[in-house]
Amino acid sequence: MTRLCPVLTALKASVGIPDDEPLIIAGPCAVESESMFDETVQMLVEHGIRFVRAGIFKPRTSPFTFQGMGEDALEVIGRVAAKYAVALVSEVMESEQIPILSTVASVLQVGTRNMDNYALLKRLGCQPLPVLLKRGFMADSKEFFLAAEYVRREGNERVVLCERGIRTFESATRNTLDLNVVPIARLATDLPIIVDPSHGTGRSDIVIPMARAAIAAGADGLMVEVHPNPPKALSDGLQSLDFERFAAMLQEVRAIYAFVGEGGR
Ligand code: PEP
Ligand code: MN
């Protein structure tokens, strides 16, 4: 059964992603410097990626670790985005950051820790940029879908769901990627859903199989962390793909997306 998803269609069209390709948002966990960001975006553009992760406010578990470049990075990411004509996706942690981020970002991301920050969700409903809503790591699917409604109820229909793993007793992975939620979302909502196998696993050695599985399950796309030198990354290096593995993943997921076809999504 073909599903009509105007939010997805418009988002892809806004950056020229063909209908028969998945919506891929890729980039480093955090922007660390202009040179690493430029190098990464250059590679992404060479592979036809139009939406780039550009984290500058980072919600880290430990306050003693890198917290993102913050406002200092705005100029840097704006320059790189203009150079390569890419659209940026950046996380908003509090309402006060919306105006600043809106000067450079095309999509505002709500992280797992803020999925139930209803004041923030309502504010995002009153501004024009699309919202990428990540699932709370303790949220069930119903709570996840209702969080999206907090944005939509205020008038902003442009919400994309993102499954990024939930907390379980399993300790081999950082989170448990709940791919059940992909077909459930398709039945229960009219919103697009993408999957983040980077945070969903926490391990770069299993990101590719889970990316494949996500697309096979009917996801509309992926959010993936990629870094020029993962062992040297200031955040989430363990789950970041290097350029070579990213290119391999892309080829595979594009083929699976075409194979699944609109009928299977
Ligand atoms: C991220 O995408 O950078 C991030 C912090 O993800 P999450 O909120 O899913 O942990
Ligand atoms: Mn990260």
Tab-separated table of all heavy atoms in Angstrom, residues 28-30 53 55 57-60 91 109-114 132 134-135 137 162-165 174-175 196 199-200 223 225 235-236 239, ligand 1:
chain	number	residue	atom	x	y	z
A	28	PRO	N	29.463	14.535	11.357
A	28	PRO	CA	30.094	14.196	12.634
A	28	PRO	C	29.101	14.330	13.780
A	28	PRO	O	28.081	15.010	13.633
A	28	PRO	CB	31.194	15.262	12.763
A	28	PRO	CG	30.710	16.420	11.952
A	28	PRO	CD	29.906	15.833	10.822
A	29	CYS	N	29.406	13.683	14.897
A	29	CYS	CA	28.576	13.877	16.085
A	29	CYS	C	28.543	15.369	16.393
A	29	CYS	O	27.475	15.951	16.561
A	29	CYS	CB	29.164	13.102	17.265
A	29	CYS	SG	28.253	13.373	18.793
A	30	ALA	N	29.735	15.971	16.414
A	30	ALA	CA	29.835	17.412	16.699
A	30	ALA	C	30.807	18.058	15.729
A	30	ALA	O	31.775	17.423	15.294
A	30	ALA	CB	30.334	17.617	18.122
A	53	ARG	N	24.693	16.687	9.360
A	53	ARG	CA	24.663	16.885	10.813
A	53	ARG	C	25.653	17.983	11.179
A	53	ARG	O	26.815	17.927	10.765
A	53	ARG	CB	25.142	15.607	11.530
A	53	ARG	CG	24.184	14.459	11.640
A	53	ARG	CD	24.871	13.300	12.392
A	53	ARG	NE	25.388	13.753	13.671
A	53	ARG	CZ	24.736	13.636	14.824
A	53	ARG	NH1	23.590	13.017	14.869
A	53	ARG	NH2	25.260	14.103	15.941
A	55	GLY	N	26.231	19.420	14.684
A	55	GLY	CA	25.996	19.604	16.115
A	55	GLY	C	26.947	20.631	16.704
A	55	GLY	O	28.170	20.500	16.586
A	57	PHE	N	25.665	22.473	19.812
A	57	PHE	CA	25.301	22.400	21.228
A	57	PHE	C	25.117	20.920	21.525
A	57	PHE	O	24.196	20.282	21.005
A	57	PHE	CB	23.992	23.148	21.510
A	57	PHE	CG	24.058	24.627	21.206
A	57	PHE	CD1	23.287	25.188	20.193
A	57	PHE	CD2	24.897	25.463	21.939
A	57	PHE	CE1	23.345	26.549	19.923
A	57	PHE	CE2	24.956	26.832	21.667
A	57	PHE	CZ	24.176	27.372	20.653
A	58	LYS	N	26.000	20.334	22.320
A	58	LYS	CA	25.970	18.890	22.527
A	58	LYS	C	25.524	18.532	23.941
A	58	LYS	O	26.154	18.945	24.914
A	58	LYS	CB	27.367	18.294	22.284
A	58	LYS	CG	27.889	18.431	20.877
A	58	LYS	CD	26.963	17.842	19.824
A	58	LYS	CE	26.690	16.369	19.999
A	58	LYS	NZ	25.717	15.881	18.956
A	59	PRO	N	24.455	17.753	24.053
A	59	PRO	CA	24.020	17.284	25.376
A	59	PRO	C	24.839	16.072	25.779
A	59	PRO	O	24.536	14.959	25.382
A	59	PRO	CB	22.555	16.899	25.114
A	59	PRO	CG	22.526	16.485	23.672
A	59	PRO	CD	23.644	17.190	22.966
A	60	ARG	N	25.876	16.258	26.544
A	60	ARG	CA	26.741	15.132	26.907
A	60	ARG	C	26.381	14.603	28.290
A	60	ARG	O	26.024	15.372	29.172
A	60	ARG	CB	28.218	15.580	26.899
A	60	ARG	CG	28.712	16.184	25.582
A	60	ARG	CD	28.565	15.249	24.388
A	60	ARG	NE	29.216	13.957	24.571
A	60	ARG	CZ	30.537	13.759	24.529
A	60	ARG	NH1	31.366	14.760	24.314
A	60	ARG	NH2	31.040	12.546	24.702
A	91	GLU	N	21.129	20.328	16.620
A	91	GLU	CA	20.286	20.092	17.810
A	91	GLU	C	20.021	21.362	18.607
A	91	GLU	O	20.935	22.133	18.894
A	91	GLU	CB	20.934	19.035	18.725
A	91	GLU	CG	20.113	18.833	20.001
A	91	GLU	CD	20.453	17.577	20.771
A	91	GLU	OE1	21.238	16.737	20.275
A	91	GLU	OE2	19.918	17.437	21.899
A	109	GLN	N	16.925	19.759	15.389
A	109	GLN	CA	16.855	18.422	15.983
A	109	GLN	C	16.544	18.523	17.474
A	109	GLN	O	17.136	19.330	18.180
A	109	GLN	CB	18.215	17.752	15.755
A	109	GLN	CG	18.398	16.424	16.443
A	109	GLN	CD	19.748	15.805	16.102
A	109	GLN	OE1	20.311	16.066	15.032
A	109	GLN	NE2	20.286	15.003	16.997
A	110	VAL	N	15.623	17.665	17.914
A	110	VAL	CA	15.360	17.536	19.354
A	110	VAL	C	15.970	16.211	19.775
A	110	VAL	O	15.639	15.160	19.219
A	110	VAL	CB	13.850	17.553	19.659
A	110	VAL	CG1	13.597	17.317	21.148
A	110	VAL	CG2	13.232	18.875	19.223
A	111	GLY	N	16.857	16.252	20.743
A	111	GLY	CA	17.572	15.047	21.148
A	111	GLY	C	16.750	14.168	22.074
A	111	GLY	O	15.699	14.574	22.591
A	112	THR	N	17.266	12.966	22.291
A	112	THR	CA	16.563	11.979	23.114
A	112	THR	C	16.239	12.503	24.511
A	112	THR	O	15.203	12.197	25.082
A	112	THR	CB	17.398	10.677	23.197
A	112	THR	OG1	16.605	9.651	23.753
A	112	THR	CG2	18.682	10.832	24.017
A	113	ARG	N	17.155	13.323	25.041
A	113	ARG	CA	16.969	13.829	26.410
A	113	ARG	C	15.889	14.898	26.503
A	113	ARG	O	15.482	15.283	27.588
A	113	ARG	CB	18.295	14.392	26.928
A	113	ARG	CG	19.398	13.351	27.044
A	113	ARG	CD	20.754	14.052	27.153
A	113	ARG	NE	21.871	13.133	27.274
A	113	ARG	CZ	22.452	12.531	26.240
A	113	ARG	NH1	21.990	12.718	25.015
A	113	ARG	NH2	23.483	11.737	26.427
A	114	ASN	N	15.463	15.410	25.354
A	114	ASN	CA	14.463	16.488	25.341
A	114	ASN	C	13.142	16.088	24.704
A	114	ASN	O	12.283	16.949	24.499
A	114	ASN	CB	15.025	17.700	24.596
A	114	ASN	CG	15.709	18.674	25.542
A	114	ASN	OD1	15.177	18.990	26.602
A	114	ASN	ND2	16.885	19.128	25.172
A	132	LEU	N	13.353	17.509	13.600
A	132	LEU	CA	13.717	16.093	13.658
A	132	LEU	C	13.598	15.679	15.117
A	132	LEU	O	14.391	16.124	15.966
A	132	LEU	CB	15.154	15.888	13.159
A	132	LEU	CG	15.616	14.435	13.216
A	132	LEU	CD1	14.953	13.618	12.110
A	132	LEU	CD2	17.130	14.340	13.079
A	134	LYS	N	13.897	13.075	17.954
A	134	LYS	CA	14.474	11.787	18.336
A	134	LYS	C	13.672	11.181	19.490
A	134	LYS	O	13.157	11.888	20.350
A	134	LYS	CB	15.955	11.964	18.691
A	134	LYS	CG	16.747	12.500	17.483
A	134	LYS	CD	18.233	12.427	17.673
A	134	LYS	CE	18.772	11.086	17.240
A	134	LYS	NZ	20.255	11.071	17.250
A	135	ARG	N	13.590	9.870	19.466
A	135	ARG	CA	12.814	9.173	20.489
A	135	ARG	C	13.527	9.230	21.839
A	135	ARG	O	14.742	8.983	21.925
A	135	ARG	CB	12.641	7.713	20.069
A	135	ARG	CG	11.875	6.872	21.069
A	135	ARG	CD	11.714	5.471	20.543
A	135	ARG	NE	10.986	4.614	21.450
A	135	ARG	CZ	10.694	3.352	21.192
A	135	ARG	NH1	11.064	2.810	20.038
A	135	ARG	NH2	10.032	2.620	22.055
A	137	PHE	N	14.958	7.908	25.174
A	137	PHE	CA	15.480	6.548	25.381
A	137	PHE	C	14.651	5.740	26.383
A	137	PHE	O	14.830	4.542	26.516
A	137	PHE	CB	16.973	6.568	25.763
A	137	PHE	CG	17.301	7.363	27.000
A	137	PHE	CD1	17.195	6.797	28.255
A	137	PHE	CD2	17.740	8.679	26.890
A	137	PHE	CE1	17.507	7.525	29.393
A	137	PHE	CE2	18.044	9.418	28.027
A	137	PHE	CZ	17.929	8.853	29.281
A	162	CYS	N	12.588	10.111	14.590
A	162	CYS	CA	13.879	9.414	14.468
A	162	CYS	C	14.047	8.415	15.607
A	162	CYS	O	14.195	8.795	16.777
A	162	CYS	CB	15.033	10.422	14.470
A	162	CYS	SG	16.652	9.644	14.316
A	163	GLU	N	14.033	7.131	15.248
A	163	GLU	CA	14.314	6.072	16.224
A	163	GLU	C	15.824	6.029	16.442
A	163	GLU	O	16.594	5.944	15.490
A	163	GLU	CB	13.813	4.723	15.681
A	163	GLU	CG	14.419	3.484	16.334
A	163	GLU	CD	14.128	3.376	17.831
A	163	GLU	OE1	13.092	3.873	18.292
A	163	GLU	OE2	14.979	2.782	18.530
A	164	ARG	N	16.245	6.082	17.721
A	164	ARG	CA	17.682	6.122	18.029
A	164	ARG	C	18.062	5.158	19.146
A	164	ARG	O	19.126	5.253	19.730
A	164	ARG	CB	18.126	7.556	18.360
A	164	ARG	CG	17.285	8.263	19.367
A	164	ARG	CD	17.516	7.880	20.809
A	164	ARG	NE	18.827	8.306	21.270
A	164	ARG	CZ	19.500	7.740	22.255
A	164	ARG	NH1	18.965	6.694	22.909
A	164	ARG	NH2	20.676	8.171	22.641
A	165	GLY	N	17.150	4.208	19.401
A	165	GLY	CA	17.473	3.217	20.422
A	165	GLY	C	16.902	3.594	21.770
A	165	GLY	O	16.756	4.763	22.100
A	174	ARG	N	25.163	0.286	23.194
A	174	ARG	CA	24.880	1.484	23.995
A	174	ARG	C	23.373	1.628	24.245
A	174	ARG	O	22.932	2.042	25.312
A	174	ARG	CB	25.418	2.692	23.227
A	174	ARG	CG	25.249	4.014	23.915
A	174	ARG	CD	25.895	5.126	23.084
A	174	ARG	NE	25.719	6.422	23.708
A	174	ARG	CZ	26.048	7.575	23.142
A	174	ARG	NH1	26.584	7.587	21.919
A	174	ARG	NH2	25.857	8.711	23.760
A	175	ASN	N	22.604	1.322	23.202
A	175	ASN	CA	21.138	1.320	23.298
A	175	ASN	C	20.642	0.104	22.525
A	175	ASN	O	21.414	-0.539	21.814
A	175	ASN	CB	20.556	2.585	22.651
A	175	ASN	CG	20.877	3.847	23.439
A	175	ASN	OD1	20.316	4.095	24.492
A	175	ASN	ND2	21.813	4.641	22.926
A	196	ASP	N	18.488	6.092	13.449
A	196	ASP	CA	19.874	6.461	13.756
A	196	ASP	C	20.594	5.228	14.324
A	196	ASP	O	20.519	4.954	15.529
A	196	ASP	CB	19.859	7.612	14.780
A	196	ASP	CG	21.241	7.949	15.338
A	196	ASP	OD1	22.218	7.237	15.045
A	196	ASP	OD2	21.336	8.940	16.088
A	199	HIS	N	23.708	6.065	17.300
A	199	HIS	CA	23.368	6.082	18.724
A	199	HIS	C	22.619	4.804	19.111
A	199	HIS	O	22.669	4.375	20.259
A	199	HIS	CB	22.542	7.323	19.062
A	199	HIS	CG	23.332	8.583	18.928
A	199	HIS	ND1	23.449	9.258	17.734
A	199	HIS	CD2	24.097	9.273	19.811
A	199	HIS	CE1	24.230	10.305	17.900
A	199	HIS	NE2	24.645	10.348	19.151
A	200	GLY	N	21.930	4.206	18.142
A	200	GLY	CA	21.151	2.998	18.413
A	200	GLY	C	22.008	1.795	18.764
A	200	GLY	O	21.515	0.839	19.381
A	223	MET	N	19.908	8.584	10.006
A	223	MET	CA	20.829	9.608	10.492
A	223	MET	C	22.075	8.855	10.941
A	223	MET	O	21.987	7.939	11.772
A	223	MET	CB	20.222	10.392	11.651
A	223	MET	CG	21.239	11.319	12.289
A	223	MET	SD	20.557	12.406	13.538
A	223	MET	CE	20.675	13.968	12.688
A	225	GLU	N	26.410	8.946	11.977
A	225	GLU	CA	27.604	9.721	12.332
A	225	GLU	C	28.812	9.234	11.527
A	225	GLU	O	29.081	8.030	11.454
A	225	GLU	CB	27.882	9.605	13.836
A	225	GLU	CG	26.850	10.385	14.632
A	225	GLU	CD	27.092	10.425	16.128
A	225	GLU	OE1	27.830	9.561	16.653
A	225	GLU	OE2	26.519	11.296	16.779
A	235	SER	N	33.779	13.418	20.308
A	235	SER	CA	32.597	12.761	20.894
A	235	SER	C	32.128	11.647	19.972
A	235	SER	O	32.195	11.768	18.748
A	235	SER	CB	31.462	13.765	21.138
A	235	SER	OG	31.045	14.368	19.944
A	236	ASP	N	31.683	10.563	20.574
A	236	ASP	CA	31.072	9.437	19.868
A	236	ASP	C	31.928	8.806	18.760
A	236	ASP	O	31.394	8.297	17.756
A	236	ASP	CB	29.691	9.845	19.312
A	236	ASP	CG	28.662	9.948	20.439
A	236	ASP	OD1	28.968	9.537	21.581
A	236	ASP	OD2	27.546	10.432	20.174
A	239	GLN	N	31.228	5.040	17.722
A	239	GLN	CA	30.080	4.693	16.875
A	239	GLN	C	30.114	5.399	15.530
A	239	GLN	O	29.179	5.268	14.736
A	239	GLN	CB	28.776	5.024	17.607
A	239	GLN	CG	28.550	6.517	17.818
A	239	GLN	CD	27.448	6.818	18.812
A	239	GLN	OE1	27.269	6.103	19.782
A	239	GLN	NE2	26.687	7.878	18.579
B	1	PEP	C1	22.959	13.361	18.413
B	1	PEP	O1	22.325	13.005	17.412
B	1	PEP	O2	23.993	14.002	18.359
B	1	PEP	C2	22.492	12.979	19.752
B	1	PEP	C3	22.981	13.552	20.847
B	1	PEP	O3	21.583	12.003	19.712
B	1	PEP	P1	20.593	11.490	20.852
B	1	PEP	O4	19.839	12.704	21.310
B	1	PEP	O5	19.748	10.505	20.117
B	1	PEP	O6	21.454	10.873	21.909
